[in-house]
Amino acid sequence: MPASDQNSVELEEKVEELNNKLKTGGFTGSYDIANSTLRLLRKVIAGSKWNNARELMDRVKSVGKLIVASQRSETSVGNMVRRVLKLIREEYARCRGNPEGGDVQSESLHRMFTDNAKTEDYSVPILNVDFKAVVIEAVNEILIELENSADNIAMQALEHIHSDEVIMTAGRSRTVEKFLKQAARKRRFQVIVVECAPFYHGQELAWSLADAQIDTTVITDSAVFAIMSRVNKVIIGTHSVMANGGLKSINGSHTIALAAKYHSVPMIVCASMFKLSPVYLCSSDQAAFNKFVSPHSVLDFADGKLMSKVHVTCPVFDYVPPELVTLYISNIGGNAPSYVYRLLSELYHPDDQDL
């Protein structure tokens, strides 16, 4: 079998393997999904046959469509595909000696709408430059950024958590866990963890924080409003950040955000840049936003008579509107929800909005 055909078969197997893991829930979080997607796209760039940037982008986009279709609620997959497409455009413009050519977003909004800027022709091959090696090196840089994102967020903990504060969090976010443990090295504070029934991930976080000698209390979801008056800050993680600055976060986050707003408690969200998604919440596209699991932990199958009379849904995520969020802390610093649109314009190209 020719080497090119063998590479194609191996790539198809890798794509199918990733699709199966997404469908069966084989990943433990958004970071693992983003990391696996990036590594697969790096294999696509290195192992596929292409002659110019246009063919490469078409190849990446076609693979990206297959992965996104397997689990539409996992927005980090589409984020990484768009990130790689933007990277290819930038590296192509740089190799052509036009460093600004691939970055339309650096211009003002007025200029973007009034100027008839020349469109880059990505079908022209680049001579005297190993474009494949350049793109792979750039993807490796994104992987390094991805691996260090949680540590970079944790380094900012002392700027936001002070001694003798009461911090509320919910569920178990690995980013928030690192954030709190980093602050606990030099500060003494109390953490109140909402257990987030019926999954009870908050109990796992509470055990981990208690092992790190942090004063930790677990409360039920129904006690959030009563306890909120004692809280100084709410710090939570999120599955993804929507294009309008809203959150797609663990179920129960909206209740916590409303209670924090009522008591004027700042709500801080720890989210790496790979979680920023150029997607809006649309009422006609709820299937792509939420994910539903079996409600057996809420209503046991033993209650057969009752189950035949009711329809129980158990959603995984909540939507939190941007006006309930005070600050986003990412691996590049803190930003208000109103600034998310600018961060998105730096990460993704408008032509890659629809994969």
Side-chain angles (χ1 to χ4, degrees), residues 28-44:
T28 56
S30 300
Y31 168 80
D32 292 337
I33 294 173
N35 198 324
S36 300
T37 303
L38 263 183
R39 293 183 183 278
L40 175 63
L41 293 177
R42 184 174 62 178
K43 287 186 175 69
V44 170

Side-chain angles (χ1 to χ4, degrees), residues 37-300:
T37 303
L38 263 183
R39 293 183 183 278
L40 175 63
L41 293 177
R42 184 174 62 178
K43 287 186 175 69
V44 170
I45 295 168
S48 300
K49 186 177 180 181
W50 47 273
N51 299 313
N52 52 58
R54 172 54 61 194
E55 292 180 6
L56 175 59
M57 286 193 291
D58 290 342
R59 177 60 176 154
V60 169
K61 192 172 287 190
S62 64
V63 172
K65 284 181 180 178
L66 289 174
I67 309 172
V68 170
S70 64
Q71 185 56 268
R72 296 171 63 200
S73 64
E74 296 295 348
T75 52
S76 56
V77 175
N79 296 347
M80 291 299 97
V81 174
R82 295 183 182 95
R83 186 86 182 268
V84 170
L85 290 170
K86 173 76 181 295
L87 179 150
I88 294 170
R89 295 175 188 274
E90 290 178 341
E91 295 302 329
Y92 179 83
R94 191 172 292 113
C95 291
R96 290 288 304 275
N98 181 20
E100 299 297 326
D103 190 11
V104 181
Q105 293 78 11
S106 62
E107 302 177 357
S108 67
L109 284 172
H110 179 265
R111 216 175 144 189
M112 287 171 63
F113 283 106
T114 56
D115 283 6
N116 293 321
K118 185 177 73 172
T119 305
E120 193 79 49
D121 185 8
Y122 295 101
S123 61
V124 178
I126 299 174
L127 304 176
N128 303 322
V129 176
D130 189 353
F131 188 59
K132 179 180 288 189
V134 170
V135 174
I136 291 174
E137 183 179 350
V139 173
N140 289 335
E141 290 177 2
I142 299 180
L143 276 168
I144 294 172
E145 176 194 327
L146 198 65
E147 292 167 1
N148 297 329
S149 58
D151 293 328
N152 292 336
I153 291 174
M155 288 171 60
Q156 306 171 56
L158 295 177
E159 301 173 14
H160 301 279
I161 298 178
H162 307 289
S163 297
D164 301 321
E165 282 191 332
V166 179
I167 308 297
M168 179 180 283
T169 187
R172 184 174 191 179
S173 166
R174 288 185 289 184
T175 306
V176 172
E177 186 177 342
K178 279 190 176 183
F179 192 83
L180 295 173
K181 288 182 177 179
Q182 179 69 23
R185 294 182 179 180
K186 295 187 178 181
R187 305 267 199 270
R188 292 188 64 83
F189 55 90
Q190 182 183 355
V191 178
I192 297 174
V193 183
V194 183
E195 62 182 3
C196 285
F199 308 111
Y200 301 107
H201 298 315
Q203 295 182 3
E204 300 173 13
L205 176 63
W207 279 110
S208 178
L209 296 179
D211 289 340
Q213 307 302 314
I214 299 175
D215 185 5
T216 308
T217 305
V218 180
I219 64 171
T220 60
D221 298 62
S222 58
V224 167
F225 191 83
I227 299 294
M228 188 62 73
S229 59
R230 296 178 49 204
V231 174
N232 298 106
K233 289 186 182 77
V234 176
I235 301 177
I236 65 170
T238 184
H239 180 272
S240 56
V241 180
M242 314 299 282
N244 64 339
L247 291 182
K248 176 181 174 181
S249 189
I250 188 170
N251 195 12
S253 299
H254 192 205
T255 304
I256 296 170
L258 287 171
K261 185 77 171 180
Y262 182 86
H263 289 280
S264 299
V265 176
M267 182 164 174
I268 298 174
V269 179
C270 296
S272 302
M273 294 295 286
F274 73 86
K275 294 188 177 183
L276 268 66
S277 176
V279 177
Y280 291 90
L281 172 64
C282 302
S283 58
S284 60
D285 198 20
Q286 287 295 307
F289 174 82
N290 221 326
K291 187 163 59 174
F292 298 89
V293 295
S294 171
H296 74 275
S297 54
V298 180
L299 187 65
D300 197 84

